[in-house]
Amino acid sequence: LPAGAVSLRLRSTRVAAEGINKPMIDRIIRVDHAGEYGANRIYAGQMAVLGRSSVGPIIQQMWNQEKDHLKKFNELMVAYRVRPTVLLPFWNVAGFVLGAGSALLGKKGAMACTVAVEETISDHYNSQIRTLIEEDPEKYKELLQIIKQFRDDEREHHDIGLEHDAEAAPAYSVLKMAIQLGCKVAIFLSERI
């Protein structure tokens, strides 16, 4: 730029990359974006089946929070210049199928799915919180606040599922274990691919 000229490039949507552990942040934001995307698709599937039932408003309330989470991670993807996982098209279909499939088991099946997913995600968020604190809690203060808030929301969803008879779903233990295994595989893959 010539002397005295002002750059018109907007920087408000980007985060200064100096001093941050870029590979770690990329991994965290990529997997969390994928997770919130998948959660949105799960709730979309549940609403497609149970939206007009007595549990529809409860599912919608949780879905609305997940929509806010996804919106925030979409913003963070841009701010930190993180590419999304290439598996998003797969998570699109898999999430919807999981949501609709669990809802076809009825309210208890949908809530069992919610408990399984949200427990896994809140554990995953706790792990990320520990990592960021070990790295530098002050440097990653904003991201820590976001992840802590979302973790708390996920725990709330988990508790809502339990309050709405998740544990009374057919083969609850097996269903929960299978869904959690799938979530852990999705986390592992989305961090890396």
Side-chain angles (χ1 to χ4, degrees):
L1 292 172
V6 176
S7 171
L8 296 177
R9 189 168 161 192
L10 298 175
R11 297 181 189 270
S12 61
T13 59
R14 293 191 43 203
V15 174
E18 296 113 27
I20 69 164
N21 181 338
K22 180 77 168 130
M24 177 191 71
I25 294 301
D26 286 0
R27 207 170 40 253
I28 287 173
I29 292 174
R30 178 178 304 109
V31 71
D32 291 355
H33 173 264
E36 296 299 347
Y37 181 84
N40 269 271
R41 299 304 298 149
I42 290 168
Y43 285 117
Q46 289 182 348
M47 284 299 290
V49 175
L50 296 172
R52 294 177 189 232
S53 73
S54 63
V55 79
I58 295 160
I59 295 170
Q60 185 65 56
Q61 175 190 352
M62 293 186 289
W63 189 16
N64 289 343
Q65 281 186 309
E66 298 296 350
K67 288 177 184 178
D68 291 340
H69 295 180
L70 180 58
K71 180 180 179 203
K72 185 60 179 177
F73 275 107
N74 280 332
E75 292 168 6
L76 291 173
M77 296 281 284
V78 172
Y80 284 91
R81 301 183 69 176
V82 177
R83 70 162 178 76
T85 177
V86 299
L87 298 171
L88 280 183
F90 181 75
W91 301 149
N92 178 31
V93 174
F96 189 88
V97 168
L98 176 58
S102 65
L104 287 171
L105 297 173
K107 170 188 138 179
K108 295 172 187 173
M111 291 297 138
C113 177
T114 296
V115 167
V117 170
E118 301 297 21
E119 184 176 295
T120 304
I121 299 309
S122 54
D123 289 348
H124 173 70
Y125 278 153
N126 280 334
S127 175
Q128 289 181 335
I129 290 164
R130 283 189 297 276
T131 298
L132 290 168
I133 288 172
E134 288 169 9
E135 186 78 18
D136 187 339
E138 197 54 41
K139 190 183 296 182
Y140 302 109
K141 185 177 179 179
E142 178 192 8
L143 190 55
L144 274 164
Q145 288 174 338
I146 292 165
I147 293 173
K148 285 177 182 177
Q149 177 60 55
F150 291 179
R151 184 248 352 247
D152 293 347
D153 292 345
E154 309 304 359
R155 289 303 299 178
E156 180 185 344
H157 299 171
H158 169 272
D159 294 347
I160 289 169
L162 289 175
E163 290 165 12
H164 288 87
D165 303 322
E167 294 170 308
Y172 172 75
S173 298
V174 174
L175 183 63
K176 181 181 175 191
M177 198 167 58
I179 292 170
Q180 289 184 320
L181 178 62
C183 288
K184 289 173 184 174
V185 168
I187 288 168
F188 178 84
L189 293 173
S190 294
E191 282 179 327
R192 290 158 176 82
I193 302 175

mmCIF file of all heavy atoms in Angstrom, residues 139-174:
data_model
loop_
_atom_site.group_PDB
_atom_site.id
_atom_site.type_symbol
_atom_site.label_atom_id
_atom_site.label_comp_id
_atom_site.label_asym_id
_atom_site.label_seq_id
_atom_site.Cartn_x
_atom_site.Cartn_y
_atom_site.Cartn_z
ATOM 1 N N LYS A 139 -5.071 -17.913 26.090
ATOM 2 C CA LYS A 139 -5.003 -17.779 24.626
ATOM 3 C C LYS A 139 -6.271 -18.300 23.954
ATOM 4 O O LYS A 139 -6.705 -17.782 22.932
ATOM 5 C CB LYS A 139 -3.786 -18.544 24.106
ATOM 6 C CG LYS A 139 -3.475 -18.291 22.641
ATOM 7 C CD LYS A 139 -2.306 -19.127 22.177
ATOM 8 C CE LYS A 139 -1.038 -18.747 22.888
ATOM 9 N NZ LYS A 139 0.142 -19.494 22.453
ATOM 10 N N TYR A 140 -6.872 -19.331 24.538
ATOM 11 C CA TYR A 140 -8.046 -19.974 23.934
ATOM 12 C C TYR A 140 -9.321 -19.693 24.740
ATOM 13 O O TYR A 140 -10.262 -20.473 24.708
ATOM 14 C CB TYR A 140 -7.802 -21.482 23.816
ATOM 15 C CG TYR A 140 -6.566 -21.790 23.005
ATOM 16 C CD1 TYR A 140 -5.422 -22.295 23.602
ATOM 17 C CD2 TYR A 140 -6.532 -21.534 21.630
ATOM 18 C CE1 TYR A 140 -4.282 -22.564 22.857
ATOM 19 C CE2 TYR A 140 -5.396 -21.795 20.881
ATOM 20 C CZ TYR A 140 -4.272 -22.303 21.506
ATOM 21 O OH TYR A 140 -3.144 -22.564 20.761
ATOM 22 N N LYS A 141 -9.333 -18.550 25.438
ATOM 23 C CA LYS A 141 -10.430 -18.196 26.338
ATOM 24 C C LYS A 141 -11.795 -18.214 25.638
ATOM 25 O O LYS A 141 -12.752 -18.804 26.150
ATOM 26 C CB LYS A 141 -10.159 -16.816 26.941
ATOM 27 C CG LYS A 141 -11.139 -16.386 27.977
ATOM 28 C CD LYS A 141 -10.726 -15.038 28.560
ATOM 29 C CE LYS A 141 -11.719 -14.568 29.595
ATOM 30 N NZ LYS A 141 -11.316 -13.291 30.184
ATOM 31 N N GLU A 142 -11.887 -17.577 24.471
ATOM 32 C CA GLU A 142 -13.176 -17.507 23.760
ATOM 33 C C GLU A 142 -13.653 -18.902 23.357
ATOM 34 O O GLU A 142 -14.812 -19.264 23.574
ATOM 35 C CB GLU A 142 -13.070 -16.618 22.518
ATOM 36 C CG GLU A 142 -14.374 -16.558 21.743
ATOM 37 C CD GLU A 142 -14.244 -15.927 20.367
ATOM 38 O OE1 GLU A 142 -13.112 -15.654 19.914
ATOM 39 O OE2 GLU A 142 -15.298 -15.733 19.739
ATOM 40 N N LEU A 143 -12.750 -19.686 22.786
ATOM 41 C CA LEU A 143 -13.112 -21.029 22.353
ATOM 42 C C LEU A 143 -13.502 -21.899 23.558
ATOM 43 O O LEU A 143 -14.459 -22.673 23.491
ATOM 44 C CB LEU A 143 -11.965 -21.667 21.564
ATOM 45 C CG LEU A 143 -12.260 -22.970 20.850
ATOM 46 C CD1 LEU A 143 -13.462 -22.860 19.918
ATOM 47 C CD2 LEU A 143 -11.020 -23.424 20.070
ATOM 48 N N LEU A 144 -12.795 -21.747 24.662
ATOM 49 C CA LEU A 144 -13.138 -22.483 25.879
ATOM 50 C C LEU A 144 -14.542 -22.137 26.367
ATOM 51 O O LEU A 144 -15.310 -23.017 26.739
ATOM 52 C CB LEU A 144 -12.125 -22.181 26.991
ATOM 53 C CG LEU A 144 -10.868 -23.031 26.999
ATOM 54 C CD1 LEU A 144 -9.786 -22.405 27.881
ATOM 55 C CD2 LEU A 144 -11.172 -24.442 27.465
ATOM 56 N N GLN A 145 -14.879 -20.860 26.332
ATOM 57 C CA GLN A 145 -16.217 -20.439 26.773
ATOM 58 C C GLN A 145 -17.295 -21.050 25.889
ATOM 59 O O GLN A 145 -18.324 -21.524 26.384
ATOM 60 C CB GLN A 145 -16.331 -18.911 26.763
ATOM 61 C CG GLN A 145 -15.559 -18.235 27.866
ATOM 62 C CD GLN A 145 -15.567 -16.715 27.752
ATOM 63 O OE1 GLN A 145 -15.786 -16.152 26.683
ATOM 64 N NE2 GLN A 145 -15.329 -16.053 28.866
ATOM 65 N N ILE A 146 -17.059 -21.055 24.596
ATOM 66 C CA ILE A 146 -18.031 -21.619 23.655
ATOM 67 C C ILE A 146 -18.208 -23.116 23.909
ATOM 68 O O ILE A 146 -19.329 -23.605 24.031
ATOM 69 C CB ILE A 146 -17.585 -21.354 22.194
ATOM 70 C CG1 ILE A 146 -17.670 -19.865 21.876
ATOM 71 C CG2 ILE A 146 -18.425 -22.176 21.204
ATOM 72 C CD1 ILE A 146 -16.923 -19.461 20.615
ATOM 73 N N ILE A 147 -17.102 -23.820 24.000
ATOM 74 C CA ILE A 147 -17.174 -25.271 24.183
ATOM 75 C C ILE A 147 -17.810 -25.617 25.527
ATOM 76 O O ILE A 147 -18.620 -26.546 25.610
ATOM 77 C CB ILE A 147 -15.788 -25.925 24.004
ATOM 78 C CG1 ILE A 147 -15.340 -25.777 22.542
ATOM 79 C CG2 ILE A 147 -15.817 -27.393 24.412
ATOM 80 C CD1 ILE A 147 -13.917 -26.229 22.275
ATOM 81 N N LYS A 148 -17.486 -24.859 26.581
ATOM 82 C CA LYS A 148 -18.101 -25.118 27.890
ATOM 83 C C LYS A 148 -19.611 -24.908 27.831
ATOM 84 O O LYS A 148 -20.376 -25.708 28.383
ATOM 85 C CB LYS A 148 -17.482 -24.218 28.964
ATOM 86 C CG LYS A 148 -16.100 -24.650 29.397
ATOM 87 C CD LYS A 148 -15.521 -23.674 30.412
ATOM 88 C CE LYS A 148 -14.112 -24.072 30.817
ATOM 89 N NZ LYS A 148 -13.523 -23.091 31.753
ATOM 90 N N GLN A 149 -20.045 -23.837 27.172
ATOM 91 C CA GLN A 149 -21.482 -23.584 27.063
ATOM 92 C C GLN A 149 -22.178 -24.685 26.278
ATOM 93 O O GLN A 149 -23.233 -25.181 26.680
ATOM 94 C CB GLN A 149 -21.740 -22.224 26.391
ATOM 95 C CG GLN A 149 -23.222 -21.937 26.172
ATOM 96 C CD GLN A 149 -24.006 -21.918 27.471
ATOM 97 O OE1 GLN A 149 -23.669 -21.178 28.383
ATOM 98 N NE2 GLN A 149 -25.052 -22.736 27.569
ATOM 99 N N PHE A 150 -21.578 -25.097 25.168
ATOM 100 C CA PHE A 150 -22.186 -26.145 24.350
ATOM 101 C C PHE A 150 -22.192 -27.481 25.095
ATOM 102 O O PHE A 150 -23.155 -28.231 25.023
ATOM 103 C CB PHE A 150 -21.484 -26.257 22.997
ATOM 104 C CG PHE A 150 -21.709 -25.064 22.096
ATOM 105 C CD1 PHE A 150 -21.114 -25.018 20.855
ATOM 106 C CD2 PHE A 150 -22.501 -23.992 22.475
ATOM 107 C CE1 PHE A 150 -21.316 -23.935 20.001
ATOM 108 C CE2 PHE A 150 -22.707 -22.894 21.640
ATOM 109 C CZ PHE A 150 -22.113 -22.871 20.403
ATOM 110 N N ARG A 151 -21.127 -27.751 25.843
ATOM 111 C CA ARG A 151 -21.081 -28.965 26.661
ATOM 112 C C ARG A 151 -22.227 -28.971 27.668
ATOM 113 O O ARG A 151 -22.910 -29.970 27.854
ATOM 114 C CB ARG A 151 -19.734 -29.051 27.381
ATOM 115 C CG ARG A 151 -19.504 -30.313 28.190
ATOM 116 C CD ARG A 151 -19.447 -30.185 29.705
ATOM 117 N NE ARG A 151 -19.439 -28.889 30.298
ATOM 118 C CZ ARG A 151 -18.413 -28.377 30.962
ATOM 119 N NH1 ARG A 151 -17.281 -29.034 31.089
ATOM 120 N NH2 ARG A 151 -18.523 -27.190 31.530
ATOM 121 N N ASP A 152 -22.470 -27.821 28.282
ATOM 122 C CA ASP A 152 -23.569 -27.720 29.248
ATOM 123 C C ASP A 152 -24.919 -27.938 28.567
ATOM 124 O O ASP A 152 -25.809 -28.578 29.132
ATOM 125 C CB ASP A 152 -23.533 -26.371 29.963
ATOM 126 C CG ASP A 152 -22.311 -26.215 30.865
ATOM 127 O OD1 ASP A 152 -21.616 -27.228 31.146
ATOM 128 O OD2 ASP A 152 -22.038 -25.072 31.286
ATOM 129 N N ASP A 153 -25.078 -27.406 27.358
ATOM 130 C CA ASP A 153 -26.316 -27.625 26.602
ATOM 131 C C ASP A 153 -26.496 -29.113 26.290
ATOM 132 O O ASP A 153 -27.604 -29.647 26.405
ATOM 133 C CB ASP A 153 -26.314 -26.831 25.290
ATOM 134 C CG ASP A 153 -26.385 -25.324 25.495
ATOM 135 O OD1 ASP A 153 -26.724 -24.866 26.615
ATOM 136 O OD2 ASP A 153 -26.095 -24.593 24.524
ATOM 137 N N GLU A 154 -25.416 -29.768 25.903
ATOM 138 C CA GLU A 154 -25.488 -31.197 25.576
ATOM 139 C C GLU A 154 -25.848 -32.018 26.821
ATOM 140 O O GLU A 154 -26.627 -32.967 26.740
ATOM 141 C CB GLU A 154 -24.177 -31.707 24.963
ATOM 142 C CG GLU A 154 -23.607 -30.919 23.800
ATOM 143 C CD GLU A 154 -24.513 -30.714 22.593
ATOM 144 O OE1 GLU A 154 -25.667 -31.195 22.581
ATOM 145 O OE2 GLU A 154 -24.078 -30.052 21.648
ATOM 146 N N ARG A 155 -25.289 -31.638 27.971
ATOM 147 C CA ARG A 155 -25.634 -32.327 29.224
ATOM 148 C C ARG A 155 -27.116 -32.126 29.539
ATOM 149 O O ARG A 155 -27.775 -33.032 30.028
ATOM 150 C CB ARG A 155 -24.775 -31.815 30.393
ATOM 151 C CG ARG A 155 -23.322 -32.222 30.342
ATOM 152 C CD ARG A 155 -23.083 -33.704 30.273
ATOM 153 N NE ARG A 155 -23.585 -34.449 31.414
ATOM 154 C CZ ARG A 155 -23.521 -35.764 31.535
ATOM 155 N NH1 ARG A 155 -22.947 -36.486 30.600
ATOM 156 N NH2 ARG A 155 -24.023 -36.368 32.584
ATOM 157 N N GLU A 156 -27.624 -30.938 29.258
ATOM 158 C CA GLU A 156 -29.052 -30.670 29.466
ATOM 159 C C GLU A 156 -29.895 -31.582 28.563
ATOM 160 O O GLU A 156 -30.892 -32.161 29.004
ATOM 161 C CB GLU A 156 -29.351 -29.203 29.184
ATOM 162 C CG GLU A 156 -30.807 -28.827 29.380
ATOM 163 C CD GLU A 156 -31.100 -27.389 28.987
ATOM 164 O OE1 GLU A 156 -30.161 -26.577 28.846
ATOM 165 O OE2 GLU A 156 -32.290 -27.080 28.815
ATOM 166 N N HIS A 157 -29.488 -31.726 27.304
ATOM 167 C CA HIS A 157 -30.207 -32.610 26.382
ATOM 168 C C HIS A 157 -30.164 -34.058 26.892
ATOM 169 O O HIS A 157 -31.160 -34.777 26.825
ATOM 170 C CB HIS A 157 -29.612 -32.540 24.976
ATOM 171 C CG HIS A 157 -29.690 -31.180 24.363
ATOM 172 N ND1 HIS A 157 -29.048 -30.865 23.188
ATOM 173 C CD2 HIS A 157 -30.329 -30.047 24.749
ATOM 174 C CE1 HIS A 157 -29.284 -29.600 22.886
ATOM 175 N NE2 HIS A 157 -30.056 -29.084 23.824
ATOM 176 N N HIS A 158 -29.004 -34.466 27.364
ATOM 177 C CA HIS A 158 -28.837 -35.807 27.943
ATOM 178 C C HIS A 158 -29.848 -36.015 29.069
ATOM 179 O O HIS A 158 -30.558 -37.023 29.117
ATOM 180 C CB HIS A 158 -27.398 -35.943 28.462
ATOM 181 C CG HIS A 158 -27.146 -37.142 29.288
ATOM 182 N ND1 HIS A 158 -27.344 -37.159 30.661
ATOM 183 C CD2 HIS A 158 -26.715 -38.387 28.962
ATOM 184 C CE1 HIS A 158 -27.047 -38.354 31.134
ATOM 185 N NE2 HIS A 158 -26.651 -39.120 30.138
ATOM 186 N N ASP A 159 -29.938 -35.039 29.961
ATOM 187 C CA ASP A 159 -30.835 -35.146 31.106
ATOM 188 C C ASP A 159 -32.302 -35.137 30.670
ATOM 189 O O ASP A 159 -33.131 -35.855 31.255
ATOM 190 C CB ASP A 159 -30.558 -34.028 32.102
ATOM 191 C CG ASP A 159 -29.168 -34.141 32.739
ATOM 192 O OD1 ASP A 159 -28.520 -35.206 32.597
ATOM 193 O OD2 ASP A 159 -28.721 -33.160 33.362
ATOM 194 N N ILE A 160 -32.622 -34.354 29.651
ATOM 195 C CA ILE A 160 -33.982 -34.344 29.107
ATOM 196 C C ILE A 160 -34.331 -35.741 28.583
ATOM 197 O O ILE A 160 -35.433 -36.244 28.807
ATOM 198 C CB ILE A 160 -34.133 -33.277 28.003
ATOM 199 C CG1 ILE A 160 -34.115 -31.872 28.617
ATOM 200 C CG2 ILE A 160 -35.413 -33.493 27.188
ATOM 201 C CD1 ILE A 160 -33.981 -30.746 27.602
ATOM 202 N N GLY A 161 -33.393 -36.363 27.894
ATOM 203 C CA GLY A 161 -33.620 -37.715 27.394
ATOM 204 C C GLY A 161 -33.918 -38.693 28.521
ATOM 205 O O GLY A 161 -34.842 -39.512 28.422
ATOM 206 N N LEU A 162 -33.147 -38.601 29.595
ATOM 207 C CA LEU A 162 -33.385 -39.488 30.742
ATOM 208 C C LEU A 162 -34.748 -39.211 31.377
ATOM 209 O O LEU A 162 -35.463 -40.144 31.755
ATOM 210 C CB LEU A 162 -32.276 -39.330 31.785
ATOM 211 C CG LEU A 162 -30.903 -39.885 31.398
ATOM 212 C CD1 LEU A 162 -29.880 -39.563 32.473
ATOM 213 C CD2 LEU A 162 -30.965 -41.386 31.132
ATOM 214 N N GLU A 163 -35.111 -37.934 31.474
ATOM 215 C CA GLU A 163 -36.402 -37.562 32.062
ATOM 216 C C GLU A 163 -37.575 -38.072 31.223
ATOM 217 O O GLU A 163 -38.676 -38.221 31.746
ATOM 218 C CB GLU A 163 -36.507 -36.036 32.194
ATOM 219 C CG GLU A 163 -35.612 -35.439 33.251
ATOM 220 C CD GLU A 163 -35.467 -33.929 33.121
ATOM 221 O OE1 GLU A 163 -36.236 -33.297 32.362
ATOM 222 O OE2 GLU A 163 -34.567 -33.380 33.774
ATOM 223 N N HIS A 164 -37.336 -38.315 29.941
ATOM 224 C CA HIS A 164 -38.397 -38.762 29.042
ATOM 225 C C HIS A 164 -38.245 -40.245 28.674
ATOM 226 O O HIS A 164 -38.474 -40.652 27.550
ATOM 227 C CB HIS A 164 -38.461 -37.861 27.804
ATOM 228 C CG HIS A 164 -39.014 -36.509 28.124
ATOM 229 N ND1 HIS A 164 -38.218 -35.482 28.568
ATOM 230 C CD2 HIS A 164 -40.286 -36.038 28.109
ATOM 231 C CE1 HIS A 164 -38.975 -34.422 28.798
ATOM 232 N NE2 HIS A 164 -40.230 -34.730 28.528
ATOM 233 N N ASP A 165 -37.830 -41.027 29.650
ATOM 234 C CA ASP A 165 -37.877 -42.496 29.577
ATOM 235 C C ASP A 165 -36.915 -43.148 28.595
ATOM 236 O O ASP A 165 -37.193 -44.232 28.088
ATOM 237 C CB ASP A 165 -39.312 -42.975 29.284
ATOM 238 C CG ASP A 165 -40.302 -42.474 30.319
ATOM 239 O OD1 ASP A 165 -39.929 -42.440 31.515
ATOM 240 O OD2 ASP A 165 -41.432 -42.108 29.941
ATOM 241 N N ALA A 166 -35.773 -42.541 28.350
ATOM 242 C CA ALA A 166 -34.777 -43.138 27.449
ATOM 243 C C ALA A 166 -34.406 -44.549 27.879
ATOM 244 O O ALA A 166 -34.292 -45.453 27.051
ATOM 245 C CB ALA A 166 -33.525 -42.268 27.398
ATOM 246 N N GLU A 167 -34.241 -44.725 29.184
ATOM 247 C CA GLU A 167 -33.772 -46.020 29.691
ATOM 248 C C GLU A 167 -34.813 -47.127 29.549
ATOM 249 O O GLU A 167 -34.486 -48.299 29.707
ATOM 250 C CB GLU A 167 -33.329 -45.881 31.145
ATOM 251 C CG GLU A 167 -32.096 -44.985 31.273
ATOM 252 C CD GLU A 167 -31.762 -44.635 32.706
ATOM 253 O OE1 GLU A 167 -32.651 -44.160 33.437
ATOM 254 O OE2 GLU A 167 -30.590 -44.844 33.096
ATOM 255 N N ALA A 168 -36.059 -46.744 29.204
ATOM 256 C CA ALA A 168 -37.111 -47.734 28.999
ATOM 257 C C ALA A 168 -37.220 -48.156 27.528
ATOM 258 O O ALA A 168 -38.087 -48.958 27.173
ATOM 259 C CB ALA A 168 -38.454 -47.177 29.482
ATOM 260 N N ALA A 169 -36.317 -47.650 26.689
ATOM 261 C CA ALA A 169 -36.328 -48.032 25.265
ATOM 262 C C ALA A 169 -35.975 -49.507 25.133
ATOM 263 O O ALA A 169 -35.237 -50.052 25.965
ATOM 264 C CB ALA A 169 -35.317 -47.190 24.485
ATOM 265 N N PRO A 170 -36.488 -50.149 24.083
ATOM 266 C CA PRO A 170 -36.139 -51.562 23.870
ATOM 267 C C PRO A 170 -34.622 -51.725 23.721
ATOM 268 O O PRO A 170 -33.991 -50.959 23.003
ATOM 269 C CB PRO A 170 -36.849 -51.912 22.560
ATOM 270 C CG PRO A 170 -37.799 -50.802 22.278
ATOM 271 C CD PRO A 170 -37.357 -49.608 23.068
ATOM 272 N N ALA A 171 -34.066 -52.682 24.441
ATOM 273 C CA ALA A 171 -32.626 -52.987 24.383
ATOM 274 C C ALA A 171 -31.780 -51.730 24.592
ATOM 275 O O ALA A 171 -30.802 -51.497 23.887
ATOM 276 C CB ALA A 171 -32.278 -53.671 23.070
ATOM 277 N N TYR A 172 -32.160 -50.931 25.583
ATOM 278 C CA TYR A 172 -31.510 -49.640 25.841
ATOM 279 C C TYR A 172 -29.985 -49.746 25.901
ATOM 280 O O TYR A 172 -29.279 -48.987 25.241
ATOM 281 C CB TYR A 172 -32.046 -49.021 27.136
ATOM 282 C CG TYR A 172 -31.295 -47.786 27.567
ATOM 283 C CD1 TYR A 172 -31.478 -46.579 26.904
ATOM 284 C CD2 TYR A 172 -30.395 -47.825 28.631
ATOM 285 C CE1 TYR A 172 -30.787 -45.436 27.291
ATOM 286 C CE2 TYR A 172 -29.701 -46.688 29.020
ATOM 287 C CZ TYR A 172 -29.906 -45.503 28.356
ATOM 288 O OH TYR A 172 -29.218 -44.372 28.733
ATOM 289 N N SER A 173 -29.474 -50.681 26.671
ATOM 290 C CA SER A 173 -28.017 -50.794 26.845
ATOM 291 C C SER A 173 -27.310 -51.073 25.529
ATOM 292 O O SER A 173 -26.277 -50.463 25.224
ATOM 293 C CB SER A 173 -27.676 -51.896 27.843
ATOM 294 O OG SER A 173 -28.215 -51.602 29.096
ATOM 295 N N VAL A 174 -27.871 -51.966 24.751
ATOM 296 C CA VAL A 174 -27.268 -52.320 23.463
ATOM 297 C C VAL A 174 -27.367 -51.139 22.497
ATOM 298 O O VAL A 174 -26.401 -50.787 21.811
ATOM 299 C CB VAL A 174 -27.955 -53.574 22.860
ATOM 300 C CG1 VAL A 174 -27.434 -53.872 21.461
ATOM 301 C CG2 VAL A 174 -27.760 -54.767 23.772
#
